[in-house]
């Protein structure tokens, strides 16, 4: 959801996290991508232009299949805070950064951070990327999973509340530098690269 409750962006995420694209053959993979995107469009009335693969898993063919299906950006690559272009698709497919450190499930269950530590991590990451973003575009992805074991638990709701307050602060500080992924992929990202 966008701030204020209006509809945000929907991105493809495979049909299930239980079966990754790396676990099926190439023909099934292409069908899985198309089926996922078609289902999202049928349910929402809007065709997604982004993709975050189940388990962040891609094969050697995945980017080709995603570009073929009209996807403009992928969030499966954890290797940089800057967007960059792949030499795939027309226009080229954009990699928008994603971070496991700012995802509540790995933070709480793998890194074993507390709610205040997670909130502090988010603030430090934002402050660093905000400073660096003055001259070169930076992307901060924050994943808040809506399932009972993660941020939806009562004991962790405070971090989500603080996160939403931080998002309001970020919008205020960022002004026109703030963008949803699709807008970034369609406009300024390509020219800024």
């Amino acid at each position: 959801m966008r701030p204020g409750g209006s509809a945000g962006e929907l991105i493809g995420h495979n049909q299930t996290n239980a079966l990754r694209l790396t676990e099926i053959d190439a023909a099934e993979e292409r069908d899985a991508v198309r089926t996922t995107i078609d289902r999202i469009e049928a349910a929402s009335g809007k065709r997604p232009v982004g993709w975050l693969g189940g388990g962040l898993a891609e094969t050697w063919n995945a980017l080709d299949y995603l570009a073929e299906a009209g996807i403009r950006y992928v969030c499966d690559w954890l290797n940089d805070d800057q967007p960059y272009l792949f030499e795939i698709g027309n226009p080229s497919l954009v990699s928008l950064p994603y971070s496991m450190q700012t995802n509540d499930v790995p933070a709480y269950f793998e890194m074993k951070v507390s709610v205040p530590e997670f909130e502090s991590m988010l603030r430090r990451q934002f402050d660093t990327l905000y400073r660096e973003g003055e001259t070169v575009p930076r992307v901060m992805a924050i994943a808040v999973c809506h399932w009972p074991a993660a941020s939806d638990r009562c004991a962790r709701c405070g971090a989500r509340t603080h996160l939403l307050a931080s998002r309001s602060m970020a919008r205020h500080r960022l002004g026109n530098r703030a963008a949803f992924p699709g807008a970034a992929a369609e406009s300024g990202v390509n020219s800024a690269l």
Side-chain angles (χ1 to χ4, degrees):
M1 298 294 283
R2 291 188 192 270
S6 62
E9 288 184 15
L10 296 171
I11 65 174
H13 188 56
N14 204 1
Q15 297 171 58
T16 173
N17 258 351
L19 181 65
R20 292 172 173 59
L21 295 180
T22 53
E23 298 169 337
I24 56 180
D25 69 39
E28 288 178 299
E29 180 185 3
R30 176 180 265 146
D31 289 342
V33 166
R34 288 184 180 161
T35 299
T36 300
I37 293 167
D38 290 345
R39 283 183 180 169
I40 292 170
E41 182 177 32
S44 70
K46 187 175 179 185
R47 192 154 183 86
V49 294
W51 183 268
L52 173 67
L56 303 174
E58 288 185 5
T59 68
W60 294 111
N61 303 312
L63 294 176
D64 290 320
Y65 298 155
L66 292 167
E68 209 175 81
I71 294 297
R72 290 283 301 116
Y73 67 90
V74 295
C75 302
D76 294 333
W77 296 75
L78 308 177
N79 59 327
D80 207 333
D81 296 326
Q82 289 181 261
Y84 57 87
L85 296 173
F86 291 104
E87 293 180 9
I88 296 170
N90 187 20
S92 295
L93 201 55
V94 178
S95 174
L96 291 183
Y98 186 83
S99 172
M100 294 305 287
Q101 289 75 28
T102 55
N103 181 317
D104 61 353
V105 171
Y108 292 139
F109 301 113
E110 294 172 25
M111 294 182 278
K112 308 292 188 213
V113 302
S114 67
V115 172
E117 288 169 328
F118 184 57
E119 181 182 345
S120 179
M121 288 167 52
L122 293 175
R123 290 179 186 275
R124 286 192 314 271
Q125 176 130 341
F126 174 83
D127 289 342
T128 300
L129 295 175
Y130 180 78
R131 256 190 333 273
E132 292 175 354
E134 286 290 329
T135 55
V136 178
R138 295 287 193 245
V139 174
M140 181 173 174
I142 303 170
V144 179
C145 297
H146 294 286
W147 56 287
S151 290
D152 275 356
R153 299 301 289 178
C154 293
R156 294 188 181 113
C157 286
R160 187 172 55 190
T161 301
H162 287 108
L163 175 61
L164 294 174
S166 296
R167 186 170 67 176
S168 295
M169 177 196 70
R171 269 204 160 309
H172 173 72
R173 287 177 68 185
L174 292 171
N176 64 359
R177 286 173 45 198
F180 277 84
E186 288 301 322
S187 60
V189 171
N190 288 338
S191 61
L193 294 174

